[in-house]
């Protein structure tokens, strides 16, 4: 009797049983919680320090209201646009997330790249992918961007650059907000190690997800796909890992270095981690074609504004031509609509995508993208917009 009652309570608390039962992005998180070990789930969902920025990234959207335009012909709507020179079926795409082998041991990054390609949106491969740039590139025909962390070792850095170009990546994304790892206390408490290793503390957690554990043990999930020349990193906790990896980063990266990178790449180039109008203007001056307004999903510096709160002032500062991408807190199609109405060109998805990946691999990512597509399209219709260029400041109102 008691076990039945407990099962029922658990079901009530977490009714998500499969992808079909997920009707929004938060549901995918609930399902993900059942599929991956708790330390991995917390690694994805957690943020820095008190997670104030993490929650503000989402709540910031509530400061804006959508103003519908009445009696417009919305019998046909067109959501296509371009992001960093690439065609996209929706004004959103997949942001860089490292170590996908933890969330989806079987396919790691390949699951996201394939789903994005079939869906017609770009995919961003992280420097810290578990699969190599070449494997990710070959996994699908879709448009892909390469996210780079600048490495101290110039040879390694220029090799990565060359490989990304040779593998057909269409744009480079330079992340500038990770000079040291953020203080993620959930990881310290859960004892997560990257890559996950079986310690006395973690074994119980991992054994509660036997399917995940088996796939993880059978896969290359722990490999650093882009650095086969480096010894396999296996440290006792995620903080130690991030510190070890951050020793690889160039700590004295300046605007001059960024300018050189823009020139060397010679194609669409975004700077990710811009959090002020002044820095957005500098990015424009050094020749970047896009700024990604981002605080790394609240995982680095706690206490910053939400990216959505910066859009208007950044647009006013950089003018109409530069691409602005909002990255952080996107969980609903209406979030995407608000970002566009405030002056952004597109949004990028971090956890919205990783939740799908953890919940169901490629199928889960497709589900996440489909949910956002349906919500965004419904929002466009109800707001009276039949194409992306019709979404403008008249559709948005800020609450004081
Ligand atoms: C699990 C995880 C791993 C991430 N890894 C990277 C990374 O390797 N490179 C990077 O530039 N950003 C990384 N990010 C940050 C995302 O690209 C993105 O900026 C952030 O998740 C956006 O916030 P959101 O999750 O609220 O959408 C990571 C985020 C998560 C959740």
């Amino acid at each position: 009797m008691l076990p039945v009652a407990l099962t029922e309570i658990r079901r009530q608390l977490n009714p998500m049983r499969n992808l079909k039962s997920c009707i929004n992005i938060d549901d995918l998180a609930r399902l993900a919680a059942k599929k991956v070990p708790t330390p991995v789930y917390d690694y994805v969902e957690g943020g820095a320090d008190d997670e104030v920025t993490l929650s503000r990234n989402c709540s910031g959207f509530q400061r804006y209201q959508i103003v519908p335009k009445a009696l417009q012909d919305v019998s046909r709507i067109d959501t296509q646009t371009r992001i960093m020179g690439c065609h996209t079926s929706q004004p959103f795409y997949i942001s860089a997330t490292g170590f996908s082998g933890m969330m989806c041991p079987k396919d790691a990054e390949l699951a996201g790249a394939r789903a994005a390609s079939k869906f017609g949106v770009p995919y961003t491969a992280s420097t810290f992918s578990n699969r190599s740039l070449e494997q990710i590139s070959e996994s699908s025909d879709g448009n892909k961007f390469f996210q780079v962390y600048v490495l101290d070792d110039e040879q390694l850095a220029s090799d990565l650059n060359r490989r990304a170009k040779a593998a057909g990546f269409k744009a480079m994304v330079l992340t500038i907000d990770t000079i040291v790892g953020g203080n993620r206390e959930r990881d310290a408490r859960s004892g997560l190690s990257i890559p996950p290793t079986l310690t006395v503390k973690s074994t119980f957690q991992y054994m509660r997800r036997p399917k995940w554990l088996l796939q993880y043990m059978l896969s290359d999930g722990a490999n650093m796909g882009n650095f086969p020349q480096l010894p396999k990193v296996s440290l006792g906790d995620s903080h130690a890992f991030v510190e070890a990896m951050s020793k690889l980063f160039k700590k004295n990266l300046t605007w001059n270095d960024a300018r050189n990178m823009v020139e060397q790449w010679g194609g669409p180039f975004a700077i990710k981690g811009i959090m002020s109008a002044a820095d957005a203007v500098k990015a424009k001056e050094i020749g970047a074609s896009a700024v990604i307004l981002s605080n790394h999903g609240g995982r680095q510096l706690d206490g910053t504004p939400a990216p959505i709160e910066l859009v208007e002032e950044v647009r006013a500062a950089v003018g109409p031509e530069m691409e602005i991408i909002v990255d952080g807190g996107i969980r609903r199609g209406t979030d995407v609509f608000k970002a566009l109405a405030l002056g952004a060109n597109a949004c990028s998805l971090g956890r919205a995508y990783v939740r799908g990946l953890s919940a169901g691999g490629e199928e889960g990512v497709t589900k996440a993208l489909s949910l956002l597509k349906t919500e965004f399209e419904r929002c466009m219709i109800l707001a009276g917009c039949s194409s992306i260029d019709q979404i403008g400041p008249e559709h948005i109102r800020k609450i004081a």
Side-chain angles (χ1 to χ4, degrees):
M1 194 64 193
L2 186 63
V4 175
L6 285 176
T7 307
E8 190 45 39
I9 290 169
R10 240 195 288 133
R11 199 194 304 272
Q12 292 297 324
L13 289 174
N14 188 355
M16 291 315 133
R17 308 210 65 73
N18 49 39
L19 287 175
K20 231 173 154 189
S21 59
C22 294
I23 59 168
N24 60 37
I25 296 292
D26 284 347
D27 282 351
L28 285 174
R30 289 180 198 106
L31 183 59
K34 289 178 156 184
K35 298 281 176 147
V36 298
T38 305
V40 172
Y41 176 81
D42 273 341
Y43 171 73
V44 171
E45 293 294 322
D49 294 358
D50 297 310
E51 302 188 341
V52 173
T53 294
L54 171 67
S55 75
R56 190 175 180 102
N57 281 357
C58 292
S59 64
F61 284 95
Q62 309 318 321
R63 296 184 61 199
Y64 302 94
Q65 296 172 330
I66 296 170
V67 181
K69 207 167 174 190
L71 299 176
Q72 303 299 305
D73 178 357
V74 284
S75 51
R76 289 168 66 90
I77 60 158
D78 183 357
T79 58
Q80 298 173 83
T81 182
R82 296 188 82 75
I83 304 176
M84 287 193 265
C86 295
H87 173 268
T88 177
S89 64
Q90 296 287 323
F92 51 79
Y93 70 99
I94 294 181
S95 197
T97 57
F99 312 113
S100 299
M102 289 200 304
M103 300 72 159
C104 176
K106 194 164 142 270
D107 294 319
E109 288 77 18
L110 310 187
R114 285 190 197 121
S117 170
K118 287 181 194 153
F119 205 80
V121 299
Y123 173 86
T124 312
S126 164
T127 298
F128 286 159
S129 298
N130 291 122
R131 299 290 196 272
S132 69
L133 288 177
E134 292 77 9
Q135 287 173 307
I136 295 170
S137 169
E138 282 160 18
S139 67
S140 74
D141 292 335
N143 291 314
K144 297 177 198 77
F145 308 149
F146 174 52
Q147 176 270 319
V148 67
Y149 284 124
V150 179
L151 306 175
D152 221 4
D153 182 325
E154 284 182 15
Q155 189 57 47
L156 266 185
S158 75
D159 275 2
L160 267 187
N161 201 47
R162 182 187 46 72
R163 284 172 55 193
K165 244 189 208 142
F169 284 80
K170 299 280 170 37
M172 178 168 274
V173 175
L174 168 64
T175 299
I176 56 167
D177 56 15
T178 319
I179 304 156
V180 292
N183 175 38
R184 303 181 200 154
E185 296 182 357
R186 290 201 209 193
D187 297 347
R189 289 188 209 289
S190 74
L192 175 78
S193 67
I194 304 176
T197 43
L198 288 181
T199 62
V200 177
K201 196 171 174 184
S202 66
T203 300
F204 178 67
Q205 302 272 24
Y206 295 143
M207 283 173 56
R208 290 178 63 206
R209 298 287 178 268
K211 189 173 169 199
W212 179 93
L213 186 59
L214 185 67
Q215 286 185 343
Y216 189 77
M217 284 162 63
L218 293 175
S219 76
D220 282 345
N223 279 353
M224 293 293 294
N226 292 321
F227 304 104
Q229 65 275 55
L230 295 180
K232 226 177 182 176
V233 192
S234 184
L235 296 168
D237 64 75
S238 78
H239 190 70
F241 174 84
V242 173
E243 284 309 305
M245 292 312 290
S246 68
K247 289 208 175 85
L248 293 174
F249 298 159
K250 191 172 162 71
K251 296 266 188 323
N252 55 354
L253 191 73
T254 64
W255 285 106
N256 263 342
D257 298 307
R259 185 196 305 273
N260 290 339
M261 292 179 69
V262 171
E263 278 166 16
Q264 273 164 23
W265 179 254
F269 192 104
I271 302 192
K272 176 172 183 275
I274 294 290
M275 285 299 291
S276 72
D279 279 348
V281 170
K282 278 190 195 148
K284 184 180 175 187
E285 283 166 3
I286 63 153
S289 57
V291 283
I292 303 183
L293 305 180
S294 174
N295 51 35
H296 216 99
R299 298 164 76 78
Q300 287 295 106
L301 178 62
D302 201 21
T304 67
I308 189 68
E309 295 170 309
L310 302 174
V311 182
E312 276 177 298
E313 62 197 71
V314 171
R315 175 55 76 205
V318 299
E321 300 305 326
M322 187 169 211
E323 269 183 86
I324 298 177
I325 292 157
V326 173
D327 170 273
I330 309 286
R331 307 286 183 267
R332 289 280 186 189
T334 48
D335 296 339
V336 179
F337 185 91
K338 287 177 183 178
L340 267 51
L342 286 164
N345 299 82
C347 294
S348 54
L349 312 174
R351 292 180 185 83
Y353 146 71
V354 184
R355 288 173 175 184
L357 182 72
S358 309
E362 181 179 337
E363 219 187 313
V365 178
T366 303
K367 177 82 185 194
L369 294 171
S370 307
L371 287 169
L372 287 175
K373 167 184 164 22
T374 308
E375 289 179 3
F376 178 67
E377 291 181 353
R378 181 180 288 114
C379 177
M380 276 184 71
I381 294 168
L382 294 176
C385 300
S386 57
S387 64
I388 298 296
D389 56 13
Q390 287 184 1
I391 304 172
E394 68 276 21
H395 292 105
I396 199 96
R397 181 170 174 270
K398 191 173 179 178
I399 309 169

